């Protein structure tokens, strides 16, 4: 089969690789219909997350059709159209039974690679380094789905492939971030980052009852989507002296009731702090340019919630004192997609959510290298590029 593979830092290629085969009777093989770029892929493409090996297939956000099932698969059938959350759940360990599927104790066969850094390993994820399980990813014609009865969700009638695609990762991550905010009527939520996850977090916050949502970014196309498709207010951080001052002015001096950070370790910013972070990251003295994370913590009102969706490693100058002295609650996780799938399908079927507008570039898999160049470098107004194998 053809697949987009990693051959080293900033070295991608579409190559022929072996077709996936079932390794366990609970597996299914899915023929990929659509798969999409994600900002978290850029972290290992740029060399900030170690653990990819030459020839690894990456990609973790996809939808497709089941073409083969193992002998122990009971709920799924060949021919079903499915969406698959990016983190892999076994469905039966302590964490999965407590609705924390991305923390699964079973699905990461390389747990020992994570334990020194994290203390306890996460679950596995498709196409996302060997410390996260070494699973082959979805930027391919076919992908193996472990524990198919738990992880493959049938796409209902009336939900298109383009809509179902983003229910794999961008929508559940954004919805989880908004859910963490414990939104009450009248709340104002600020979202750092207008990429796919940030826009879905903003839309989810409105669906969960926020009165106002403010999206902070600098890319005109993203800011336009936030206003036109989400119904959010926007702040172009490159056009204001201080995002914190702008948010105080927008909220009567109090600050947002909750903040969502949806950028991650390769954030852009302004001023001396950005230069400091870029220099330390370039020298590998830290992994993170954490300007929006620090900014979100400082901007949040006292007693509010800080919801962190961006991927981070080792963050320097973390404002722990602000969290304590302002009585803030910090909530974060890798996405628990399986928890949110039924609600997401309901939103789409009711017409409350249509994530398909995230697609700005629709390409064949053969053009995936170009797609990542467009996405990474924000060329031609690219918000999300999707690939059709």
């Amino acid at each position: 089969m053809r697949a987009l593979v990693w051959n080293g830092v900033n070295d991608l290629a579409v190559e022929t690789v072996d077709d996936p085969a079932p390794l366990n009777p609970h597996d299914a093989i899915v023929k990929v219909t659509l798969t999409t770029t994600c900002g978290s892929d850029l972290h290992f493409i740029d060399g900030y997350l170690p653990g990819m090996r030459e020839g690894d297939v990456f990609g973790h956000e996809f939808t497709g059709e089941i073409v083969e099932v193992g002998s122990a698969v009971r709920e799924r059938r060949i021919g079903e159209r499915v969406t698959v959350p990016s983190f892999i759940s076994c469905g039966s360990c302590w964490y999965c039974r407590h609705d924390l599927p991305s923390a699964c104790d079973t699905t990461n066969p390389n747990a020992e690679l994570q334990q020194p850094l994290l203390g306890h390993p996460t679950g596995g994820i498709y196409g996302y380094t060997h410390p996260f399980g070494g699973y082959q990813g979805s930027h391919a014609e076919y992908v193996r789905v472990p524990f198919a009865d738990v992880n493959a969700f049938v796409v209902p009638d009336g939900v298109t492939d383009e809509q179902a695609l983003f229910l794999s990762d961008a929508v559940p991550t954004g919805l989880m971030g908004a859910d963490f905010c414990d939104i009450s009527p009248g709340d104002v939520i600020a979202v750092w980052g207008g990429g796919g996850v940030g826009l879905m977090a903003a839309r989810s916050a409105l669906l969960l009852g926020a009165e106002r949502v403010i999206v902070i970014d600098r890319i005109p196309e993203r800011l336009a989507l936030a206003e036109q498709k989400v119904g959010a207010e926007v702040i172009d951080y490159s056009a204001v002296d201080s995002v914190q001052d702008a948010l105080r002015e927008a909220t009567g001096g109090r600050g947002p009731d909750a903040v969502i950070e949806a950028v991650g370790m390769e954030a852009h910013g302004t001023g001396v702090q950005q230069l400091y972070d870029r220099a330390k990251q370039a020298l590998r003295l830290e992994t993170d340019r954490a300007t929006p994370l620090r900014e979100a913590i400082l901007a949040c009102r006292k007693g509010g919630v800080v919801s962190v969706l961006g991927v981070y490693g080792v963050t320097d100058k973390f404002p722990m004192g602000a969290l304590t002295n302002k009585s803030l609650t910090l909530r974060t996780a890798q996405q628990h997609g399986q928890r949110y799938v039924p609600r997401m399908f309901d939103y789409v079927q009711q017409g409350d959510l249509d994530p398909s507008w995230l697609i700005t570039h629709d390409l064949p898999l053969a053009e995936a290298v170009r797609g990542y160049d467009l996405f990474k470098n924000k060329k031609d107004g690219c918000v999300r590029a999707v690939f059709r194998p």
Side-chain angles (χ1 to χ4, degrees):
M1 70 173 183
R2 301 289 284 171
L4 182 65
V5 301
W6 189 89
N7 289 322
V9 175
N10 290 314
D11 185 6
L12 314 177
V14 177
E15 298 180 357
T16 299
V17 301
D18 292 338
D19 288 358
L23 300 180
N24 184 289
H26 294 278
D27 290 348
I29 303 298
V30 170
K31 181 179 180 181
V32 178
T33 305
L34 286 173
T35 181
T36 183
T37 56
C38 179
S40 57
D41 292 330
L42 302 181
H43 305 325
F44 61 78
I45 291 173
D46 292 340
Y48 298 120
L49 285 180
M52 291 296 282
R53 299 175 185 171
E54 185 173 349
D56 281 349
V57 179
F58 63 98
H60 58 264
E61 194 165 358
F62 64 100
T63 190
E65 179 185 330
I66 294 176
V67 294
E68 184 176 354
V69 293
S71 60
V73 175
R74 297 287 179 261
E75 302 297 326
R76 300 281 67 83
R77 300 288 183 269
I78 291 173
E80 289 180 328
R81 195 165 55 108
V82 294
T83 286
V84 182
S86 56
F87 266 84
I88 305 167
S89 167
C90 73
S92 58
C93 73
W94 189 93
Y95 294 98
C96 291
R97 287 186 285 107
H98 285 78
D99 219 11
L100 299 168
S102 71
C104 178
D105 245 353
T106 303
T107 57
N108 187 346
N110 299 327
E112 73 281 356
L113 298 179
Q114 282 191 346
Q115 202 147 339
L117 181 61
L118 302 184
H120 299 85
T122 69
I125 182 175
Y126 304 96
Y128 204 77
T129 80
H130 286 263
F132 283 88
Y135 290 90
Q136 297 300 285
S138 64
H139 293 344
E141 294 178 280
Y142 299 93
V143 62
R144 179 176 73 93
V145 175
F147 300 102
D149 284 337
V150 176
N151 295 299
F153 291 83
V154 175
V155 178
D157 293 339
V159 177
T160 68
D161 288 344
E162 290 76 12
Q163 293 168 327
L165 168 63
F166 295 105
L167 306 189
S168 172
D169 192 293
V171 177
T173 304
L175 179 56
M176 180 185 71
D179 194 24
F180 282 171
C181 291
D182 295 329
I183 294 170
S184 298
D187 278 358
V188 179
I189 311 299
V191 180
W192 273 256
V197 170
L199 292 170
M200 290 299 100
R203 181 61 190 150
S204 296
L206 290 170
L207 289 173
L208 294 181
E211 181 173 310
R212 297 166 59 202
V213 173
I214 304 170
V215 173
I216 300 106
D217 205 293
R218 66 184 174 93
I219 306 299
E221 294 82 5
R222 294 179 173 189
L223 295 172
L225 286 173
E227 287 184 306
Q228 297 165 13
K229 298 294 187 179
V230 173
E233 303 166 43
V234 300
I235 294 174
D236 178 349
Y237 69 79
S238 67
V240 298
D241 293 332
S242 167
V243 171
Q244 291 180 57
D245 287 347
L247 286 170
R248 277 193 287 267
E249 183 177 347
T251 57
R254 190 174 64 187
D257 298 286
V259 295
I260 300 173
E261 197 284 344
V263 183
M265 64 171 61
E266 293 186 73
H268 294 267
T270 58
V272 174
Q273 186 168 260
Q274 174 72 1
L275 296 175
Y276 169 90
D277 282 334
R278 288 189 70 89
K280 290 200 72 174
Q281 191 183 54
L283 294 170
R284 298 304 193 261
L285 297 176
E286 67 170 336
T287 62
D288 305 338
R289 300 196 302 261
T291 300
L293 176 59
R294 300 186 192 105
E295 201 169 64
I297 291 170
L298 296 177
C300 190
R301 70 156 169 82
K302 291 176 286 187
V305 176
V306 178
S307 173
V308 181
L309 301 178
V311 173
Y312 284 98
V314 180
T315 300
D316 197 7
K317 297 181 68 175
F318 184 78
M320 188 64 205
L323 285 171
T324 303
N325 288 294
K326 291 172 64 180
S327 302
L328 299 179
T329 297
L330 177 65
R331 298 192 68 180
T332 184
Q334 293 280 15
Q335 66 117 334
H336 299 305
Q338 291 82 351
R339 180 194 300 179
Y340 295 102
V341 167
R343 194 191 311 185
M344 293 186 299
F345 281 140
D346 286 345
Y347 283 146
V348 174
Q349 288 182 300
Q350 293 163 8
D352 296 322
L353 176 67
D354 180 9
S356 64
W357 50 258
L358 290 175
I359 300 172
T360 55
H361 292 72
D362 194 330
L363 304 170
L365 182 63
E367 296 184 33
V369 174
R370 182 171 76 89
Y372 264 94
D373 178 57
L374 293 168
F375 176 64
K376 174 183 174 180
N377 296 301
K378 302 175 178 65
K379 296 179 180 177
D380 192 30
C382 185
V383 175
R384 280 295 184 100
V386 302
F387 309 132
R388 298 179 184 268

